[in-house]
Amino acid sequence: MVNNELFERCRKNEGQAQRAMYDQFKATLMGLCRRYARNKEDAQDMLQESFIKIFSKMHQVESADKFESWMKSVAVRTAIDHYHKLKRTDHHAFTTDEYDVADLDYGGILESVSDEYLVGIINDLPEGCRMVFNLFEVEGYSHTEIAELLKVSEGTSRSQLHHAKYLLKQKLSRLGIKRYEKLA
Amino acid sequence: MKSLPEKDFWNAIRNRLENYKEEPQDDWLKIAGAIPAAGERQGNKPVNLAADLLSVASVVMLVWTLCAVTPAARIWTLANVSTPPVTEKVNGQEADRLKEDNERELKEHKVEQNEKGLPPVTKETESKGNRFGDVLKKVEHNDASQQQASLPELDNDAKTNGRDTRSAHIDGPEESQDTTDSVQTVVAAKADTVFFAVPPILQQKSKTRRKFRPSVYAVITPSFAYQKIVPRRDDNINIQKLNSAGLVSADRLGYSLEAGFQMQVSNHFELYAGFLYYQQNLLVSYSYVTDGDVETVNGTREKWSFELSPGEATRTFRYAMKNGGASAGVLYHIRGRKLMHKLGAGLQYQKGLVRSQGEYSYNNASSSYLNYQLLYRMEYSLSGRTSIFLQPQFVHSLVADEVLREPFTVKPYRAGLGFGLLYHF
């Protein structure tokens, strides 16, 4: 939650207040950027750009209680901008065979992996899959909205999500198999 | 737990990703440098207003110039003539230009006459129609000594009358329309003085032309770039030292290319307007204080003493500017004919063209600059139509609406020496 006074001081472009605001939210926004970026360096770039936009356009936010969600949406938009700039040529070839994951202990696997590792798996997804997965599963956008944001068809958005989930399961399954092998 | 249901599995992932936090590198310095100051966000108005005015002035100037040189404008000028012929004294440069103008006009006029189906020029009509025919004959029969002896008298006569003068006839048609289509020129003993007995049409036209004589110019100006650096006050970054290139250093070199129109509007004043491109590649490095180490020296539970050991870091900023824009101003003719000395002042509006994506790269695609320009021009006439000029100039930023990813703002200025070419219509 953003302090009202801090919010107002930031709107007045006070350097100290902006620094305090940055310190308060840098880890949250870095976490968000890490999910969308391919690596830590790209995430750092996104974060920097997001904060510049946030402090430059803060006058658009009406009140302090809306600030945090607005700030996150700015970071998501920045990630989408990066996607449009960087991606373009990344067309991943989908495999059609389904991976049998029914019998694996996903609960156990999920409990055993750290957040960093989970983010690392997300980072390894192809650009389009990663974007759609984040937008749909984490941010809660609909396929129609995603199609508009990423300038793809709804069908593409659905298939990207499906493929993203498949790849995630596959990676987690392999992790589970390795774990079993280790235990055995 | 054997396996999570699909929905719960994805919900678990969502929750973990949604709440994922990671401590980034502290990039506050770069962020603070790139945030526009409070005044800058609304401070574009003077730049925009000046840019608008400059653009309007440039467009008016261009339209005016084009109108002055189009046939329609000339016909309009010619149609409004009724004044009697007057002989005018002009200098050598003007004379060359007028002579070329007259020759060309006469040729054009002849073509027009042919197109209108008027009778062709014959020797008879020439002798009848040419008011100066007798004078020409006299000239042909006069010997050189007579010419020399009567020169002073002829000078005076020529100034007042234009008939009883020694004439060198410029070739061209003399038609049956009285005196309005013939030109009589006297070349006097003084090499740089020519007397024209100008018929009314061409006389009026030449007046118009001299008054609104347009020219096109092109100039390249190598220059040394400098800048006034103003640290931001609200970013808590303490700049210790600035290290920039020497006063006259190759690192400061830049250049501008400019081309446009200029036009004489009175005896002493000319207006100019054109488009320009400017480029520079300047390195500025600066040292600033970093957080450094904080060491606890001694203390008790109630009172602690700390020793601060601030560090120092150096950063290099490449001020590689590429701008495009427009300029307009006025030139004042101080003195000289063949070699003219002029003083000038004007405004330049420039827009940044550098659009780089790199984190540390300079990017001025959204920047704009309003500069004033002071210049001194030495213009040497090569012929009636072309001149070259040397132009020391100073350009200083009035308003620089520039967003840098640095903890300071910059007001650029530069001094240069231009080499230019003029073509007079």
Side-chain angles (χ1 to χ4, degrees):
Chain A
M1 183 68 184
V2 183
N3 178 298
N4 253 331
E5 189 197 337
L6 185 65
F7 174 74
E8 288 304 327
R9 283 174 61 206
C10 284
R11 277 165 64 104
K12 288 174 189 167
N13 243 23
E14 284 186 30
Q16 284 181 343
Q18 287 173 335
R19 171 80 214 212
M21 187 75 88
Y22 169 76
D23 285 338
Q24 188 177 339
F25 288 105
K26 64 183 179 186
T28 307
L29 288 195
M30 182 63 176
L32 187 148
C33 293
R34 285 285 278 123
R35 284 192 279 117
Y36 283 92
R38 281 182 297 196
N39 50 47
K40 204 164 181 172
E41 288 71 35
D42 284 357
Q44 193 78 32
D45 274 355
M46 274 184 207
L47 178 74
Q48 191 182 327
E49 206 173 306
S50 302
F51 268 111
I52 292 166
K53 283 181 187 171
I54 288 163
F55 288 125
S56 304
K57 297 177 179 177
M58 244 185 116
H59 56 278
Q60 295 176 358
V61 191
E62 291 163 7
S63 58
D65 51 335
K66 291 178 182 171
F67 178 70
E68 193 171 341
S69 58
W70 174 80
M71 195 167 56
K72 284 182 180 173
S73 73
V74 170
V76 170
R77 295 282 169 155
T78 307
I80 292 170
D81 288 346
H82 269 250
Y83 163 78
H84 284 302
K85 282 178 200 167
L86 300 172
K87 192 235 164 190
R88 302 285 181 207
T89 53
D90 183 19
H91 298 295
H92 191 80
F94 297 164
T95 50
T96 50
D97 55 324
E98 286 292 327
Y99 198 84
D100 184 15
V101 293
D103 294 334
L104 285 174
D105 178 12
Y106 278 100
I109 295 168
L110 214 50
E111 278 169 18
S112 69
V113 296
S114 66
D115 288 351
E116 287 78 15
Y117 190 86
L118 195 58
V119 169
I121 294 174
I122 301 285
N123 288 165
D124 287 342
L125 289 174
E127 289 284 344
C129 294
R130 187 171 65 243
M131 292 302 294
V132 174
F133 179 81
N134 275 312
L135 290 169
F136 186 89
E137 283 295 337
V138 187
E139 317 302 342
Y141 285 90
S142 68
H143 282 297
T144 314
E145 289 168 324
I146 293 168
E148 198 176 320
L149 287 170
L150 301 186
K151 295 183 175 64
V152 294
S153 67
E154 274 189 58
T156 305
S157 175
R158 286 177 201 282
S159 63
Q160 294 267 24
L161 179 67
H162 177 76
H163 191 63
K165 285 182 171 179
Y166 164 76
L167 289 173
L168 279 172
K169 282 180 184 175
Q170 193 183 43
K171 289 193 177 186
L172 287 170
S173 301
R174 281 180 188 152
L175 183 73
I177 291 164
K178 277 180 191 169
R179 200 164 68 99
Y180 289 139
E181 284 171 353
K182 209 172 176 180
L183 288 171
Chain B
M1 188 169 64
K2 176 69 179 168
S3 67
L4 282 173
E6 179 92 3
K7 197 176 175 183
D8 292 343
F9 171 72
W10 293 117
N11 280 341
I13 289 184
R14 177 189 304 141
N15 288 336
R16 288 181 64 172
L17 290 175
E18 207 169 17
N19 298 314
Y20 177 69
K21 290 181 183 179
E22 187 175 318
E23 202 62 29
Q25 287 174 19
D26 194 340
D27 273 349
W28 176 245
L29 178 70
K30 294 173 205 161
I31 294 166
I35 302 167
E40 285 176 28
R41 268 205 298 270
Q42 291 115 18
N44 302 347
K45 284 178 184 172
V47 182
N48 293 338
L49 182 64
D52 291 346
L53 288 173
L54 203 59
S55 305
V56 169
S58 301
V59 170
V60 169
M61 182 84 180
L62 289 173
V63 170
W64 188 14
T65 306
L66 290 171
C67 287
V69 295
T70 50
R74 279 191 258 152
I75 290 162
W76 184 87
T77 310
L78 290 167
N80 290 279
V81 174
S82 60
T83 51
V86 177
T87 305
E88 294 178 46
K89 184 177 179 179
V90 291
N91 64 27
Q93 184 187 334
E94 292 277 307
D96 289 345
R97 197 174 298 138
L98 281 172
K99 189 177 170 182
E100 286 177 30
D101 286 346
N102 290 334
E103 283 172 357
R104 199 182 51 186
E105 287 308 315
L106 281 169
K107 283 174 186 167
E108 286 174 7
H109 198 62
K110 188 178 177 182
V111 172
E112 281 174 23
Q113 291 288 344
N114 290 337
E115 285 172 357
K116 287 174 187 171
L118 291 173
V121 179
T122 62
K123 284 188 177 177
E124 284 179 11
T125 53
E126 186 177 338
S127 60
K128 282 178 188 172
N130 187 359
R131 191 183 283 186
F132 306 109
D134 294 338
V135 179
L136 287 169
K137 282 175 188 172
K138 279 181 193 174
V139 171
E140 284 165 9
H141 290 94
N142 279 341
D143 59 34
S145 60
Q146 280 175 321
Q147 286 179 30
Q148 281 291 55
S150 56
L151 272 173
E153 187 187 340
L154 288 172
D155 277 1
N156 291 332
D157 288 343
K159 284 175 189 170
T160 54
N161 192 337
R163 293 187 182 191
D164 300 327
T165 54
R166 187 175 311 245
S167 305
H169 188 223
I170 295 174
D171 61 353
E174 287 78 29
E175 292 145 22
S176 57
Q177 296 180 336
D178 202 357
T179 61
T180 58
D181 49 5
S182 65
V183 173
Q184 189 176 28
T185 309
V186 173
V187 181
K190 293 175 188 175
D192 61 344
T193 307
V194 176
F195 292 94
F196 284 92
V198 187
I201 289 177
L202 297 178
Q203 173 204 340
Q204 179 67 23
K205 184 167 161 278
S206 66
K207 273 186 179 176
T208 310
R209 280 200 157 192
R210 249 181 298 152
K211 192 173 179 185
F212 303 113
R213 193 178 65 231
S215 311
V216 286
Y217 70 90
V219 56
I220 178 167
T221 311
S223 58
F224 287 110
Y226 306 92
Q227 68 287 317
K228 183 182 173 189
I229 289 177
V230 183
R232 293 178 188 274
R233 279 178 289 182
D234 55 358
D235 59 5
N236 288 338
I237 297 166
N238 191 356
I239 296 174
Q240 294 288 90
K241 198 170 70 174
L242 283 165
N243 313 304
S244 51
L247 199 64
V248 180
S249 160
D251 287 342
R252 291 189 180 277
L253 265 180
Y255 69 90
S256 70
L257 297 171
E258 188 175 341
F261 288 89
Q262 77 179 50
M263 181 182 289
Q264 192 169 356
V265 289
S266 74
N267 288 338
H268 281 284
F269 287 98
E270 286 175 80
L271 297 179
Y272 68 89
F275 298 101
L276 64 93
Y277 169 81
Y278 173 70
Q279 177 172 327
Q280 71 173 40
N281 193 5
L282 177 63
L283 276 178
V284 179
S285 71
Y286 59 92
S287 308
Y288 61 96
V289 176
T290 60
D291 291 345
D293 301 322
V294 181
E295 191 182 338
T296 307
V297 176
N298 53 47
T300 62
R301 196 181 184 88
E302 291 78 25
K303 191 175 180 182
W304 291 93
S305 294
F306 301 99
E307 190 174 89
L308 301 174
S309 312
E312 189 175 294
T314 302
R315 181 165 147 62
T316 302
F317 161 55
R318 183 172 287 278
Y319 199 27
M321 182 191 274
K322 285 179 187 174
N323 296 343
S327 68
V330 62
L331 292 167
Y332 177 75
H333 184 174
I334 305 169
R335 64 187 167 85
R337 293 287 175 193
K338 188 80 175 170
L339 176 64
M340 289 188 274
H341 295 260
K342 295 174 181 178
L343 267 180
L347 289 174
Q348 293 182 343
Y349 171 73
Q350 296 181 5
K351 191 99 179 79
L353 302 173
V354 178
R355 193 182 292 275
S356 60
Q357 300 296 339
E359 186 184 353
Y360 293 101
S361 305
Y362 170 70
N363 185 336
N364 75 340
S366 58
S367 306
S368 51
Y369 312 82
L370 180 67
N371 304 328
Y372 69 84
Q373 178 185 31
L374 299 174
L375 59 93
Y376 184 83
R377 181 184 285 187
M378 284 165 285
E379 194 176 302
Y380 181 77
S381 172
L382 294 175
S383 71
R385 294 208 170 272
T386 53
S387 303
I388 53 171
F389 62 84
L390 201 63
Q391 182 175 285
Q393 69 170 26
F394 176 76
V395 176
H396 194 287
S397 164
L398 279 172
V399 184
D401 170 30
E402 189 167 45
V403 180
L404 300 176
R405 291 184 176 185
E406 306 296 334
F408 49 74
T409 56
V410 171
K411 270 203 165 186
Y413 59 96
R414 55 187 176 269
L417 181 63
F419 304 91
L421 185 68
L422 267 168
Y423 179 82
H424 309 284
F425 288 106

